[in-house]
Amino acid sequence: MSLKVNISQAEKFLSKKVTTLQENVNQVHEMIKSKSGKGNDYLGWLDLPFDYEKEELERIYALKKKYAKLDVLVVIGIGGSYLGAKAGLEFLKEPFKKTKPEIIFAGHQLSANYLKQLLKYLNKKDYAINVISKSGTTTEPAVAFRLLREHIENKYGKEEARKRIFATTDKARGALYQLATNEGYEKFVIKDDIGGRFSVLTSVGLLPFVFAGINVEKMLKGAQDAWQDAQDPSLKKNKAYLYAATRYALYKEGKMVEYLVGYEPRLSFFSEWWKQLYGESEGKNGKGLLVSSAQFTTDLHSLGQQIQDGLRIIFETVIELKKTDSLTIPFDQDDLDKLNYIAGKEISYVNEKALLGTQMAHVEGNVPNILISIDKLDSYHFGYMIYFFEIACAMSAYLLDVNPFDQPGVEAYKKNMFALLGKK
Ligand code: PA5
């Protein structure tokens, strides 16, 4: 089994069994399958585990081969054009292991410090750029790309720079499409019917993954299995829908804040991707769960108090990892730290007991708990989790009766910022 969902510590807080939502779930399932719900022109990600762009993937492999000796690939993008790739790299990268090329992100904020130091760092590096923007006019990546384009052209000359810039963008429209066409950059397409936050399994994610040496075939296999597991709407079988229906039922009973909790630091950026997916998809029309995240046991020493004892509007979705590296706690003659009672035990055993003890304490403190278990942090499970959370998100947003695929609220700050900057 690739992934398990246990709702026993959540369901006991509900006045009705989650399976009483089966009829609503069936209706939404039909709506998704027949593409008849709100935002139905953005369902291109639904069959992506099988329908990914094979020709583009071949070109990505060819590029990786051509630029096998690069020191750095700079990936420029923000939001859906950034978080999936970043989440995958963190999920799959062994800590402290240097990859070649090193993947560096830019255009995901407006920090002059960051960009200036990056340009300085790149002076001595052999590098290429993957600029990702569906619209091509998003301020943060556009600013970063201007600077980096100037830098790479100065470093290699305009001709060579052109070959080292790969643009992932709309198939026929937009500023980046236009520029890439004019300059002859290698182009990859973000299809019209795939929104940014659902685009990880397109070239938006696949290009950085291939350059980082990640096995994307296994990732796609994981996503295919998650697709398969999501075909039957029965809440007894469909784990993604079970998760979606449970969080919806908790929300309806006043548990308004969902924390995605991991006990592995490599999951922290996965939570950032998940927050965008659920926050942008559901947080509209005055509705939607507030999404937050925590990394335990680290954050038990900061957020633990509030979760245990603060406003009782929280529930937790915990990701449990079944297999980790083997490492035992050494025996110490003096035992000043009083740890000899667990000497010889695996660190993972201690982490597991921390998870269980925390779950018991939080449930006791009125914090419902959904437990999601996966075997390993590998590309198969990353692919599985991506599709699992995407399809669950569509179900969850439709249960709330909101359009999962638009984000009208994102425009408000831009309008003000552009007015303050004097944009015509
Ligand atoms: O999910 C989304 O649609 C957004 O987060 C976008 O991906 C983000 O705003 C970046 O947009 P673009 O790819 O057009 O630069």
Side-chain angles (χ1 to χ4, degrees), residues 38-259:
K38 293 175 189 169
N40 54 19
D41 43 350
Y42 276 95
L43 282 165
W45 55 273
L46 253 190
D47 297 323
L48 209 47
F50 296 97
D51 275 356
Y52 61 95
E53 286 297 317
K54 282 130 195 133
E55 179 273 334
E56 289 203 354
L57 189 54
E58 287 309 313
R59 277 197 289 127
I60 293 171
Y61 283 130
L63 270 184
K64 157 89 174 163
K65 211 167 153 198
K66 182 170 168 194
Y67 290 102
K69 296 212 167 103
L70 279 186
D71 296 321
V72 174
L73 176 74
V74 184
V75 179
I76 301 176
I78 196 166
S81 296
Y82 155 65
L83 284 162
K86 175 76 176 166
L89 291 174
E90 294 287 316
F91 190 102
L92 297 167
K93 192 176 144 283
E94 285 176 30
F96 317 115
K97 193 173 168 187
K98 295 254 181 279
T99 59
K100 198 166 161 67
E102 182 185 2
I103 310 290
I104 296 182
F105 290 91
H108 54 298
Q109 22 73 357
L110 284 166
S111 162
N113 290 339
Y114 184 92
L115 284 166
K116 187 148 190 185
Q117 291 308 315
L118 174 60
L119 294 174
K120 197 167 148 202
Y121 183 71
L122 291 173
N123 282 337
K124 293 197 185 113
K125 300 285 176 189
D126 186 27
Y127 77 100
I129 296 172
N130 178 205
V131 53
I132 309 173
S133 178
K134 197 170 180 180
S135 61
T137 48
T138 309
T139 310
E140 296 87 339
V143 167
F145 186 45
R146 264 203 191 197
L147 287 160
L148 281 148
R149 200 175 134 214
E150 187 180 67
H151 188 276
I152 202 168
E153 286 179 357
N154 288 340
K155 186 173 169 112
Y156 296 101
K158 229 170 163 4
E159 255 332 287
E160 175 61 17
R162 276 193 187 109
K163 297 184 195 147
R164 288 172 176 258
I165 298 174
F166 325 131
T168 309
T169 188
D170 190 272
K171 73 171 189 304
R173 279 183 313 236
L176 182 57
Y177 168 80
Q178 202 52 57
L179 179 68
T181 308
N182 295 349
E183 295 289 326
Y185 301 153
E186 179 103 26
K187 286 203 287 277
F188 299 93
V189 171
I190 312 173
K191 287 187 177 164
D192 287 347
D193 58 358
I194 301 179
R197 57 190 177 275
F198 289 85
S199 70
V200 197
L201 299 176
T202 69
S203 296
V204 169
L206 297 182
L207 194 153
F209 292 151
V210 167
F211 270 76
I214 288 166
N215 187 332
V216 299
E217 313 294 338
K218 280 201 182 140
M219 188 183 289
L220 290 162
K221 171 73 177 110
Q224 286 161 7
D225 285 358
W227 181 97
Q228 202 64 54
D229 291 350
Q231 295 312 300
D232 185 334
S234 164
L235 287 168
K236 297 216 166 79
K237 294 184 188 152
N238 191 319
K239 296 164 282 182
Y241 288 177
L242 181 65
Y243 163 64
T246 307
R247 66 196 290 285
Y248 170 75
L250 288 166
Y251 169 74
K252 283 287 173 195
E253 298 209 13
K255 298 296 182 187
M256 303 276 181
V257 180
E258 178 179 15
Y259 267 90

Side-chain angles (χ1 to χ4, degrees), residues 314-326:
I314 297 171
F315 74 92
E316 289 171 327
T317 296
V318 174
I319 298 177
E320 177 192 33
L321 185 64
K322 288 289 189 193
K323 290 185 191 144
T324 65
D325 284 342
S326 171

